[in-house]
Every structure is written in structure tokens, then in C-alpha cells.
Amino acid sequence: MLIFLVVFGHMISTFADTPEVDVIYKIIFSFHMPAFIFVSGYFAKVEPKKILSRIFPLYYRISITSFFTGFHSGQYHVGTSGKIDMQFFTPRWTLWYLMAMIIYQLLLPVFDTKNKRHRVAYLLLSMVLGIVIGYNPDTENFMAMSRIMNFLPFFLAGYYEKRWWILPSLWKAEKSERSKIATIFLAVGIIAGFILVSRVSTRKLFWGTESFNGGVYTWYTRILAWIIAFLWIWILIVWVPTKRIQ
């Protein structure tokens, strides 16, 4: 479902000028990548050598392929000096996700701990880093650091959730009818909120690529975006079936 939403969200981005589609776009982008990265963190293992031997070469192969396809389609041009600017460390499009996975996995030995207090401290630290990076005026997005720091709390939350098991405790592990009803009202409330503030909100809230502009996009709206994303993740976990669907 998350993969479908990634594709669908990018597909409707060309039609996001209409108010209705703009609301749908913002709702999808408010949780689809945070949830995707949360799941990635949940299944992550402390194996930095495997990352360097598998994902890193894959990143370079895809970078080279996307460069040549982009050059063929006219996205890249030869400058007046006869040089072509090929950036391996400024990932374009979906390459930022691979770059994020490489850096997250390399950082896992630092954040891997069984101490609950240390986990809370690391989660808070990741949020601080996500706020600090928002004040970076650099728009070149070197190594996708803006997105990587913005989504780091979700990766760590997913990784810690595998052992900590926080979210299920919110509804006592058993997915009761009460928890599902509560999440329905919560989802309706979030969607209603998006409809009410759609005209004054910005899609930049959920991209994680832009610097704070001092307007509607500030450090506290980033925190609000995180809260909304975590609420969506909770809703999804409540409704994900625990048994294989025949």
C-alpha cells in the first residue's frame, strides 16, 4: 500500500493545482514516506559491512543509469565549457532514499542500545537534528542531508519499536474494536484539519527538503508534521492485519 501511495502521490503532483487534489496530495505526503522509513527502521539490522557491499554499489549503478537516461531525455546539458555536471552526492528523485538508507545503516551502531533512557535520548537528539537542519540555507541538498535528518526520527522509532514494542501497548497489543473506532475518528479529524487549513498550508511541510522560510514553514510546523505522521503510523498499525490474507 505504501509503495502504491508513493507512486500515486507523485502521479497526482502534476494536478495538485486544484484544491481537491492538493488536499489529497498533502494527506498522502503527510505519512507515506515517514511510514515507509518507519518500516525500514523496523526491519533494519546492524550490518554496516553488508550496506557498504550491497546498497552502496547499487546506489552508484542507479546514479549512473539515471544520469544517462536523464541526459538522453534532455534533463542534463553540456555547458559552455564542455563539461557535464554529474553529482554522485546530490541524489535526485528516489535516489535520496537509497542515500538515506546507507547513512541510517552506518549510523545504527551508534544508536543501537538496549537502554530505554538512551533510546529516548537518541530520539530526542534526532528531532533536534531535524530542527537544526531546517535552518540550513543550502538548497543544493548535498547527500540529501535535509531529508535524512528530517526523517531520522521515524527510522529510529521503527528500529526501537522492534524491541521496545511501544505502539501496541497503546491498545494493549490486542487490536480491539475500541482502538479501531478511535483511529477512525482520529483519521477523520486529521483529514478534516487538512481540508480546513489547506489554503494556508504548504506542501513543503512534508518534503523535508526545504529550509525554514519564516512564514508558515517553521520549526514548530515541522514538529506538527512529525506528530501528524506518527499518528498516521499508529492508525496504519492498528488496521494492518496480523494474519496472512488468503
Side-chain angles (χ1 to χ4, degrees):
M1 183 187 72
L2 292 175
I3 295 176
F4 168 77
L5 290 176
V6 170
V7 176
F8 183 72
H10 285 286
M11 183 183 70
I12 68 171
S13 62
T14 56
F15 307 100
D17 290 335
T18 63
E20 296 79 11
V21 176
D22 185 58
V23 172
I24 297 174
Y25 178 93
K26 290 174 181 176
I27 291 174
I28 292 175
F29 273 73
S30 69
F31 73 91
H32 79 302
M33 283 313 302
F36 213 100
I37 292 175
F38 180 90
V39 173
S40 300
Y42 186 86
F43 291 103
K45 296 180 180 179
V46 184
E47 297 177 333
K49 292 183 178 180
K50 183 180 292 186
I51 298 304
L52 291 175
S53 62
R54 294 184 181 181
I55 298 184
F56 211 58
L58 176 64
Y59 173 81
Y60 271 100
R61 287 197 292 269
I62 296 177
S63 296
I64 294 173
T65 303
S66 64
F67 170 78
F68 282 109
T69 55
F71 183 77
H72 180 72
S73 62
Q75 296 180 19
Y76 301 94
H77 302 279
V78 179
T80 56
S81 61
K83 296 181 179 180
I84 301 176
D85 186 19
M86 186 174 182
Q87 296 288 342
F88 278 113
F89 297 102
T90 306
R92 298 175 181 270
W93 299 101
T94 55
L95 283 174
W96 76 266
Y97 177 77
L98 277 179
M99 176 67 77
M101 289 300 105
I102 292 171
I103 294 179
Y104 289 159
Q105 294 281 358
L106 293 177
L107 288 176
L108 264 187
V110 178
F111 293 115
D112 184 40
T113 177
K114 296 181 180 179
N115 189 300
K116 291 185 177 181
R117 292 184 179 180
H118 291 171
R119 291 180 180 181
V120 173
Y122 287 146
L123 279 172
L124 292 176
L125 175 62
S126 68
M127 293 178 181
V128 171
L129 293 175
I131 296 297
V132 172
I133 198 68
Y135 289 98
N136 177 24
D138 181 20
T139 57
E140 294 299 322
N141 201 23
F142 178 71
M143 293 186 68
M145 290 307 299
S146 181
R147 275 177 165 167
I148 289 173
M149 292 296 103
N150 178 67
F151 292 115
L152 179 59
F154 300 101
F155 185 83
L156 289 182
Y159 181 71
Y160 293 151
E161 177 65 17
K162 179 169 53 179
R163 296 180 179 177
W164 209 346
W165 210 238
I166 304 172
L167 293 176
S169 65
L170 296 177
W171 62 91
K172 297 181 180 180
E174 295 294 334
K175 298 181 180 182
S176 64
E177 293 299 321
R178 289 184 179 180
S179 62
K180 291 185 176 181
I181 293 174
T183 54
I184 290 175
F185 280 103
L186 180 59
V188 171
I190 295 174
I191 293 172
F194 271 103
I195 295 174
L196 291 174
V197 303
S198 179
R199 292 184 178 181
V200 297
S201 62
T202 173
R203 283 174 276 172
K204 295 179 180 179
L205 288 172
F206 312 108
W207 289 350
T209 57
E210 304 293 328
S211 302
F212 300 144
N213 58 18
V216 295
Y217 187 46
T218 60
W219 65 270
Y220 49 86
T221 51
R222 173 163 288 186
I223 293 177
L224 177 61
W226 285 340
I227 294 173
I228 294 173
F230 274 116
L231 289 175
W232 276 123
I233 291 171
W234 178 48
I235 293 171
L236 290 174
I237 291 178
V238 169
W239 283 92
V240 168
T242 56
K243 299 180 181 179
R244 179 175 296 181
I245 299 176
Q246 301 294 335

